Amino acid sequence: MTESATPSSVSVCRADYANPVHARALVQLLDSYAQDPAGGGKPLGDFAKTHLVRELAARPQAFSVLAFDGDQAVGLINCIEGFSTFACRPLVNIHDVAVLPGHRGQRIGEKMLALVDEIARERGACKLTLEVLQGNAGAVKLYERVGFAGYQLDPAMGQAKFFQKWLE
């Protein structure tokens, strides 16, 4: 996969977890996202900051995409491959999407999502999935613009809801 430059000098690439520049960027961007109201409003814990890149690298089903404006890391997407039993094919869950506040509105998220789409297709994935908070209007608009829609099997059953249960 080659790095692609855009007229705005923003480039996107698949993160190399062994590259110290990429590793630092991943942790810094995820920490920034975690501190944003859309990410929960709290910084990453020390454990996550210390171990995240190593743990992602240990999982072949994980991959990340980074965006750089020159030398500055400005965007991140973390993805985890899952499996669709109905399609009997992999799927890719987009777990984190982050763009630094000063760089939002420049279609950086769209550029990163295009690379995620390419990587997912290379993996033979049948679909991309993600979750987004209803109040994150900018993200909802982005996702709809690039082809995401609410999930449902039968309109009579309604749209799917996302649930979680912490195991701590």
Side-chain angles (χ1 to χ4, degrees):
M1 211 143 318
T2 59
E3 192 171 286
S4 61
T6 63
S8 67
S9 81
V10 172
S11 61
V12 296
C13 65
R14 183 174 177 160
D16 175 357
Y17 298 134
N19 178 327
V21 172
H22 288 193
R24 273 191 306 278
L26 192 150
V27 172
Q28 289 170 350
L29 289 162
L30 191 63
D31 186 44
S32 175
Y33 173 51
Q35 293 180 57
D36 189 274
K42 296 178 183 172
L44 287 181
D46 290 338
F47 181 84
K49 288 178 183 176
T50 302
H51 300 286
L52 179 63
V53 174
R54 183 186 74 220
E55 292 298 322
L56 285 170
R59 288 163 171 74
Q61 71 274 26
F63 68 91
S64 302
V65 168
L66 291 166
F68 290 89
D69 185 356
D71 291 335
Q72 182 187 11
V74 298
L76 166 70
I77 297 181
N78 287 319
C79 299
I80 308 290
E81 183 179 300
F83 189 76
S84 169
T85 54
F86 283 15
C88 193
R89 291 178 49 201
L91 62 83
V92 171
N93 179 256
I94 298 169
H95 192 67
D96 303 300
V97 178
V99 175
L100 292 180
H103 287 78
R104 292 178 185 159
Q106 299 176 30
R107 302 223 167 179
I108 293 170
E110 187 173 325
K111 294 168 191 167
M112 291 189 301
L113 286 167
L115 182 52
V116 167
D117 185 287
E118 181 182 328
I119 295 167
R121 290 174 190 275
E122 287 173 2
R123 289 173 168 246
C126 63
K127 66 179 175 178
L128 299 173
T129 63
L130 58 77
E131 64 201 58
V132 62
L133 298 173
Q134 290 175 331
N136 193 345
V140 170
K141 184 177 176 183
L142 163 64
Y143 302 144
E144 290 175 343
R145 185 173 66 243
V146 300
F148 286 87
Y151 172 73
Q152 65 183 16
L153 295 173
D154 177 347
M157 292 298 295
Q159 288 197 349
K161 290 190 174 193
F162 180 79
F163 289 85
Q164 73 175 6
K165 175 183 175 185
W166 286 103
L167 301 177
E168 306 184 336

